[in-house]
Amino acid sequence: LPEDFIMGGATAAYQAEGSTKKDGKGQVAWDTFLVEKGRYTADPASDFYNQYPVDAQLCKKFKIDSIRMSIANQVYHLSVSL
């Protein structure tokens, strides 16, 4: 790969989040919709919310330079340095 190539990864909020009721998170559409349909909930999913330090270390280990994360929350700020 070229030296300036940026290897990246991504997460999707509801599938990876793992914490739908912590730290003041309000309900989002998926929280209600999937429960009403009798499907599943995001607790714990892959639990990115609580495991992000491990995920950041794995990114370093596998030389992933960049990650895009999506967290379903009205008021949440997260900073991760890789």
Side-chain angles (χ1 to χ4, degrees):
L1 297 173
E3 262 187 55
D4 61 347
F5 185 84
I6 297 173
M7 180 65 75
T11 70
Y14 207 76
Q15 292 81 0
E17 184 177 295
S19 188
T20 61
K21 299 173 182 79
K22 283 180 73 174
D23 297 327
K25 179 189 177 292
Q27 281 199 329
V28 296
W30 280 111
D31 294 328
T32 305
F33 176 77
L34 292 174
V35 170
E36 286 176 357
K37 297 296 180 188
R39 304 254 171 99
Y40 60 87
T41 69
D43 292 312
S46 66
D47 201 20
F48 179 81
Y49 186 91
N50 296 297
Q51 300 298 324
Y52 73 87
V54 173
D55 291 340
Q57 288 301 315
L58 288 170
C59 287
K60 280 185 173 182
K61 178 179 178 179
F62 294 107
K63 302 193 184 329
I64 295 175
D65 305 304
S66 166
I67 58 172
R68 182 213 43 95
M69 62 189 85
S70 169
I71 297 174
N73 194 337
Q74 294 96 356
V75 287
Y76 187 78
H77 303 281
L78 174 67
S79 175
V80 177
S81 296
L82 297 179

